[in-house]
Every structure is written in C-alpha cells, then in structure tokens.
Amino acid sequence: AYDDWALSQYAKQVVAKQSDYKLLLDRGFNYRNLLNTDKLFMLPRNQNNFKLQPGMGGYKEGDQWMYTYFVPQNARDLINLLGGNAEFASRLDSALSHKVILFDNEPVFHLPYLFNQASNPALTQKWCRYIMQELYSATPGGLPGNDDLGSTSSWFVFSAIGIYPVCPGRPTYAIGSPLFQSVTLHLPNGKEFSINSVHSSLKNYYVQAVAVNGKPWEQLTLPHVEITSGGRIAFRMIGRPGLWPKHKNPVNLSETKTNAEFKVSDFYVTHKTAGPDELFFAKFSLTNRGSAGTKTVHLIVNGKPYGQKNCYVPAGHTIHDSIACRLYPLGISWLTIEGTGMQKVIVKALTFSASNSYRISALSAKPMVRLHDVQYIAYQVQNIRGLKQMVTLKVNVNDSLVFTDTITLRPGEKKVMKHEFRALERGFQTIRIDSNQVRYKVYSNASESLILDLSSIKFASDYSIIDKSGFSNNGHVISIADNTRTADAALLFGKNCFVERPRSASLDILDEQITMMAWVYPTGLNGGLTDIFTKGDTNVLQLSGGKSLTFFAGGWGRGDCTVDLPSDWLNHWHHIAGVCRGKSLFLYIDGILKGTTVTDKVANLSVNNKWVLGRNDEFPSEREFQGYIHCAKVFQEALSGQEIGTIFTLDKP
C-alpha cells in the first residue's frame, strides 16, 4: 500500500503524456481524482483511500513531504508520530524509491540517515550508496542540485568516508556506508583518525561489523570526541544486509530514548445486524504507555485487511476511536482489531431498486484535448447490494451514446471502467453516466487552449475575479487595506493586495508547453526580485533589480530567458508574455520577441501551486509587485509570435 501511495505522487509528474496516462489507466488509476491536486489519491484495492495533498504553498525549496521529515534534532519523536519504526522506514523508503522526495537540496540531506534512528541501518547503507553512486558523477554538472557554497559536495565527502553529522551542532555522527577503502583525517590538534573498510566495493555496501580502536562497536553513531582523540574505525562490508549492530534497538541520535507502547482494548461494533452498504462503526480504546506517538490500528474482516486508522495518543493516555464500516455479502462476518476478541455482524438482505443497487463515483476525463487527439475517461462502479448482480450503464458525450458497459459485480465489489475515443468536435463537451457528469474542452489550435482568462481584474464585493476561459477558475482577491483599489475598482497590487487562483485539474495538469501573459502598469520598483505572474517557483514572470524581466518554466534551475526592461517601463502599460515550447523559452514585451533561451532538457510543467498575480506562493510577503495588472491569461500550448501580437492588439487597456 505504501508503494501505491507514493506512486500516486510520481504519477502526477508523468501523466501529461498520453502514453503515460494510458499506462496508468491500465494499472487502475483514476485520472481526475489522481491528478486533481485538491484531492489526489489512487483508487484503492480495498475500501481505504490513501489521500495525498502535496504542494509547495508556504514552503521554500521543498514541499510537505520534504519538510515532514525535517526534524533532525528529535528523530525518535518524529518516528513515534509517524507510526513507529516499521511504518516510518517503509513510508520513507517508498517515497525515495518513487521519487516523491528528490535528493537535490539541503532539507533532505539527512533523510538517508533517518533509517538508522528507525532501527533499520541496512536502508541507511543502501540509500547512502545509491545516492553516491547514481546521483553524483565525475562530470560537469555531476551534482544532484546546486552546490550552495559546497553543501552538496560536503554531503558526498562525509558520506563517502562513512559518517555524517545529521543534527547541526550536536557532536555526533551517524554511521553510513563508507565508499573508500582507506581515509585518514589529519586533525588540527596534530592527531590522526583513520577510517578503513574491508571488502568495500560497488556491490558490497552493507556493513557486517564495525570496530573502533580494535574493539567491536555496536552503536549507530560515532561521538565527535572519538575522532578528535585520534584512533581508527574499521568496517567489514558485505553484499547483503548484515546483522550489525547485534542488539535490537541500537543507540541513535534522538533526544527521546523511548518508543511509543500501545495496547488496543474494548473493541466492539455498533451494529450486530446491518443491511448491505449500511454504515456502522468498529469502536476501540487505545492506550499508550510509552512516549507520545501514532498507532496505525488495523481492522480485519473475515481474516482479511479491511480498514485502518492512524491514531495519535499522548504519553500515558487512553483514547477512544472508531473505524467506519460497510459490509455487503449476506450472512455472518467476523471482525477483529489486532488481537482483540471477535465481533459478529449479520448482514441481512434489503430491497433495492434497479437505480440504487449500484454507486458510480470518480467520473473523470482529461480537462483539455486537442481536436482529433484521444480523450480518456474513467469511472468507478460499485455493487452496493448483498448479492451478485449485472449492471448496464450508458456513457454519453453530450446527447450521444458512445459506450454501453455491462458489468458483473460481486457484493460490494468495485470496478474501474476505462474508455478512449477521438475528440471530433470543438468546444466544451459533457460526459454523462446517469446523474454523474464531467466537462472537458476540445481545441483546434494553440490560441484556443486557454485555461485561465482573468480579463477584468477589478474589485468585486465577493472578492472574486471571473475567469472567462470557461473552466470557472475564478481568482480571489487577497486584500488587507481599503487603499488597494481605485475609484473605478481597479486593483492596486502591492504589499496589501494580490490575487490567487487555488489549484484545479485544468490549471495543474500541464505538459511541456505553456504561454502565460498579462498587461502590467508598474508604479514602483523593488531592488531585488519582484514576481508578477507565478505558479510557485516553477512557471514565473518576474522582475530583477528593477532592470530586467525574466521568464522561466519548469523551475528556475532549468534555465531562464532574461531581457532588459524598456526605458518607459514605469507608469506605462506594457504587455508581457512568456512562452515555453519544450526546451525553448521565449519572452515578449509589447508583442515583440525580446529574447530566446534554449535549455538543456525539456520539463513537465505540471505543479500544484496556486497561480498568483502580484507575488509568489512560495515566498509570502516577498517579491511584491507594485502597480496594476490587466488581462492575465494562461494557455496550455505555446503561442506563436503572430498569435501573441494579435492578443497584444485586441486586449490593450
């Protein structure tokens, strides 16, 4: 389950390509719910939905995943809160494996070493070696991210000699997997400390035994004083996970030295009899006799996993909680929770009409499809009767029947149905199944691929800016002062005013192209960076030093296009447009191409930050644009210079 949980985030990054999306459909993923980043989750194999809401809003150079683990000063409590050693190690290992967390910046440097604290040093050794051998290379640009004054290089040096200072300021080093066979540290006090590893190779990266100054060492940390006193540490390496250290809970770096200790009791069900699909609850008590922590409580039905719940319990406390249940097969079901007694629930037959004997959910489609390209749709159907049944469903596009699905379902069974067809009619279309429906747009050229159109940016009583693209991606005015609007209700952007558009599938699911533009009337300049129109720090139009305009898409590290500002920039209207077409970036001012940059590689531009006018979602209270903005638009495809020139002429304030 953890692998699927992490994989759903990875899927978001690749799904924009049709071939990748079809692959995911074949694996049973639901398109809209998977990619609508307000509710990002995978259709599960049982009744549990593992919901993800990743995002970089409010985070700098990271996201919720990355900063969840940024507690180097107290890893033990972090592990307790995330479910204990096994749950913690499994989740982090999966997140790294599926690239939900990328090793590319300082906030993640300590992550490979956290497996030590979770009593799983083999995973620390595996990940340290993988990062050193696969993500670093002896080539130009051979670092996994910006070196930032040597930090990325120093991680490699520390890890290559087999130790790493996980918590800054604490005189203790985590033990990893030495890459070199022999290293000598020449210390300022004139002493030397040697690090030797026997049988170390590209394949032998697990630690079999450690000795310090000739004596067996059974700790996962090395105190700084052992190094400054001079001496030696010796590793014996092996090609499979070793048995070092020998005891179950070796010394680690955390301040809290005890685990959480849980006991489940008082298990009972609220219904002894229930109809198919009738909601009832499995209730229980949970006592924690150790440190504060989280327990994943598992409900078993008829010997099989049914549901689970993560329960936080303070140290020395008992809580009372429950897991929601719906049963389907007629007859007796037996329920239990982790060693507690069995509870019997009898499911009795109810009378169902043909229309309410099944449930349809998660109807989805690609929000934007080019004319004659393939549209993919998916939906889930569930039998909510207590008996096996056959369901016939009609799939309509607008008023035309396109598919008829006949599905046989066991009691409670869910199936994901998938279809694909060519988009042959331009404009907005509606897919309907019974009372369920979803809209999408078919466009024939780049200028029709409009996904956001905030043409009239003026103050309204409900603080909304109407989106005229047809997707209803209305903007929201964030204003904390009355002087942010003029007599004609035009918004004066600045410290007290900006506009944001929350996440939505039509705005978040991008490919390798984009066009973003706006009319701007600057009334002041900042000395540093000023963000005019942004989606996180990924797709950005910004000013630099009051002298230049910059556009980048797919992240600033991929490269940018920067041009000088016109001499009449201040207190005049100017149209700016940034275009990304694969590797190429184009920047226009007043309908004229001012700069072009070709980057080294293409990038998927999908990111789930909010679109923001007047600043940046990742840098609150910074980079604030001063002035007026008009006709902010985003297109899913790269517009040509001629198309941008036409818009420049038609939209002029």
Side-chain angles (χ1 to χ4, degrees):
Y2 283 116
D3 287 347
D4 290 335
W5 189 28
L7 182 59
S8 62
Q9 166 66 356
Y10 170 70
K12 175 181 71 68
Q13 303 170 14
V14 300
V15 76
K17 295 184 178 179
Q18 291 179 358
S19 59
D20 291 327
Y21 173 62
K22 187 175 186 303
L23 173 64
L24 291 174
L25 281 181
D26 292 340
R27 290 178 59 86
F29 286 88
N30 172 274
Y31 182 83
R32 185 181 67 178
N33 285 343
L34 176 65
L35 294 173
N36 180 340
T37 48
D38 288 326
K39 292 183 178 180
L40 180 65
F41 63 91
M42 187 203 77
L43 291 177
R45 287 171 294 190
N46 54 36
Q47 294 190 23
N48 296 313
N49 286 336
F50 293 98
K51 185 180 292 187
L52 287 174
Q53 294 180 334
M56 299 178 72
Y59 299 92
K60 289 194 177 183
E61 300 188 11
D63 59 14
Q64 292 167 326
W65 278 92
M66 181 183 297
Y67 281 105
T68 289
Y69 295 97
F70 197 73
V71 193
Q73 77 281 5
N74 193 353
R76 182 68 260 158
D77 278 349
L78 173 66
I79 292 167
N80 287 341
L81 292 173
L82 292 181
N85 290 344
E87 298 275 359
F88 178 90
S90 177
R91 184 175 188 264
L92 179 56
D93 183 48
S94 180
L96 292 171
S97 297
H98 292 103
K99 297 180 174 59
V100 176
I101 299 176
L102 299 177
F103 187 90
D104 62 355
N105 207 6
E106 287 92 336
V108 299
F109 282 177
H110 67 298
L111 258 61
Y113 292 93
L114 290 182
F115 295 108
N116 275 357
Q117 278 92 319
S119 298
N120 199 326
L123 284 177
T124 284
Q125 296 151 24
K126 181 192 85 168
W127 279 108
C128 285
R129 276 299 192 94
Y130 171 83
I131 292 167
M132 284 187 280
Q133 294 172 195
E134 301 297 331
L135 303 186
Y136 286 79
S137 63
T139 62
L143 298 176
N146 193 306
D147 203 21
D148 281 343
L149 303 180
S151 63
T152 310
S153 298
S154 68
W155 184 94
F156 183 91
V157 173
F158 269 116
S159 297
I161 66 177
I163 59 175
Y164 185 77
V166 169
C167 181
R170 183 170 292 160
T172 309
Y173 301 86
I175 292 177
S177 175
L179 183 65
F180 299 122
Q181 293 182 348
S182 179
V183 174
T184 299
L185 305 181
H186 304 280
L187 306 173
N189 61 9
K191 297 183 180 181
E192 294 183 349
F193 187 81
S194 66
I195 303 170
N196 298 285
S197 57
V198 179
H199 304 312
S200 179
S201 68
L202 294 179
K203 295 183 179 180
N204 291 348
Y205 49 80
Y206 291 107
V207 177
Q208 185 179 27
V210 178
V212 175
N213 295 325
K215 297 181 180 180
W217 189 262
E218 296 296 330
Q219 300 179 20
L220 291 172
T221 59
L222 183 69
H224 184 66
V225 67
E226 292 287 345
I227 297 176
T228 57
S229 297
R232 64 189 186 277
I233 183 172
F235 292 83
R236 185 164 66 249
M237 310 300 291
I238 193 173
R240 61 184 183 278
L243 299 178
W244 175 86
K246 295 179 180 178
H247 45 81
K248 185 176 180 181
N249 292 306
V251 175
N252 54 49
L253 302 177
S254 63
E255 294 178 345
T256 303
K257 301 300 183 183
T258 59
N259 298 326
E261 297 180 10
F262 297 103
K263 182 180 179 181
V264 180
S265 61
D266 302 329
F267 168 55
Y268 69 96
V269 293
T270 57
H271 289 46
K272 295 296 184 180
T273 61
D277 197 51
E278 182 178 355
L279 178 66
F280 67 95
F281 295 89
K283 296 198 171 186
F284 58 90
S285 298
L286 185 62
T287 301
N288 182 8
R289 295 189 177 92
S291 297
T294 301
K295 168 69 173 175
T296 302
V297 178
H298 298 271
L299 175 64
I300 308 299
V301 176
N302 296 328
K304 296 180 180 180
Y306 174 91
Q308 65 185 48
K309 192 165 191 179
N310 297 325
C311 302
Y312 168 75
V313 188
H317 282 66
T318 297
I319 67 165
H320 308 285
D321 212 326
S322 62
I323 297 176
C325 303
R326 295 179 191 269
L327 300 180
Y328 297 92
L330 301 181
I332 297 174
S333 289
W334 294 97
L335 288 70
T336 187
I337 290 181
E338 303 192 23
T340 60
M342 291 284 187
Q343 292 287 317
K344 181 173 71 173
V345 176
I346 301 174
V347 180
K348 293 187 175 182
L350 297 177
T351 301
F352 287 88
S353 66
S355 61
N356 70 0
S357 64
Y358 59 87
R359 180 184 295 121
I360 293 175
S361 61
L363 173 61
S364 60
K366 293 177 64 176
M368 293 278 285
V369 185
R370 196 175 183 99
L371 187 65
H372 303 302
D373 280 355
V374 176
Q375 170 64 289
Y376 300 94
I377 64 174
Y379 68 94
Q380 179 178 267
V381 57
Q382 181 185 14
N383 176 8
I384 60 174
R385 292 184 60 190
L387 299 172
K388 184 177 180 179
Q389 69 167 323
M390 181 181 294
V391 176
T392 299
L393 298 170
K394 298 182 183 301
V395 181
N396 295 277
V397 176
N398 298 331
D399 296 323
S400 300
L401 176 66
V402 290
F403 301 105
T404 298
D405 292 332
T406 300
I407 312 140
T408 300
L409 298 166
R410 298 186 302 274
E413 183 181 6
K414 300 175 183 178
K415 281 188 179 179
V416 176
M417 306 303 297
K418 301 162 289 185
H419 294 291
E420 58 183 71
F421 58 92
R422 294 285 173 182
L424 302 178
E425 184 178 349
R426 292 171 55 222
F428 279 93
Q429 317 292 323
T430 301
I431 298 171
R432 291 186 179 89
I433 306 175
D434 287 354
S435 61
N436 300 268
Q437 66 180 44
V438 63
R439 293 177 76 234
Y440 65 96
K441 182 180 180 180
V442 180
Y443 63 97
S444 62
N445 54 60
S447 61
E448 292 181 354
S449 66
L450 188 63
I451 55 177
L452 182 67
D453 182 3
L454 303 181
S455 294
S456 179
I457 303 178
K458 293 188 175 183
F459 182 83
S461 59
D462 61 355
Y463 290 84
S464 66
I465 306 294
I466 302 302
D467 170 32
K468 298 181 180 180
S469 72
F471 284 105
S472 300
N473 291 318
N474 296 344
H476 302 295
V477 179
I478 311 299
S479 176
I480 58 174
D482 291 335
N483 62 352
T484 59
R485 56 186 182 273
T486 61
D488 64 351
L491 293 177
L492 178 60
F493 288 77
K495 183 176 182 62
N496 297 321
C497 180
F498 62 98
V499 172
E500 65 180 24
R501 165 58 227 178
R503 303 187 297 267
S504 72
S506 57
L507 291 175
D508 296 343
I509 305 167
L510 305 172
D511 201 337
E512 297 169 357
Q513 299 187 49
I514 196 172
T515 302
M516 47 192 293
M517 61 177 63
W519 279 92
V520 295
Y521 187 100
T523 58
L525 292 174
N526 298 327
L529 296 178
T530 301
D531 285 341
I532 302 173
F533 195 9
T534 67
K535 189 167 178 57
D537 214 24
T538 300
N539 305 320
V540 174
L541 281 166
Q542 69 180 191
L543 302 174
S544 180
K547 298 179 179 180
S548 60
L549 176 67
T550 294
F551 166 67
F552 56 85
W556 63 268
R558 192 169 75 102
D560 61 68
C561 184
T562 299
V563 301
D564 292 336
L565 294 175
S567 57
D568 64 343
W569 177 255
L570 277 178
N571 301 312
H572 290 84
W573 281 107
H574 294 281
H575 185 265
I576 59 174
V579 179
C580 174
R581 181 183 289 112
K583 294 182 179 180
S584 299
L585 304 176
F586 307 89
L587 187 51
Y588 295 79
I589 299 180
D590 295 331
I592 300 173
L593 179 62
K594 293 294 186 178
T596 303
T597 297
V598 179
T599 62
D600 292 335
K601 56 186 178 181
V602 298
N604 188 319
L605 308 182
S606 299
V607 64
N608 54 7
N609 290 79
K610 304 170 185 176
W611 280 102
V612 180
L613 290 171
R615 62 185 65 188
N616 193 310
D617 188 27
E618 288 192 38
F619 298 85
S621 302
E622 299 179 34
R623 306 185 181 185
E624 298 156 341
F625 173 73
Q626 303 172 46
Y628 301 92
I629 301 177
H630 175 68
C631 281
K633 297 182 177 181
V634 179
F635 297 81
Q636 186 169 277
E637 290 206 5
L639 268 60
S640 66
Q642 181 178 356
E643 290 169 320
I644 289 174
T646 299
I647 294 174
F648 165 72
T649 302
L650 294 176
D651 288 349
K652 197 168 186 176

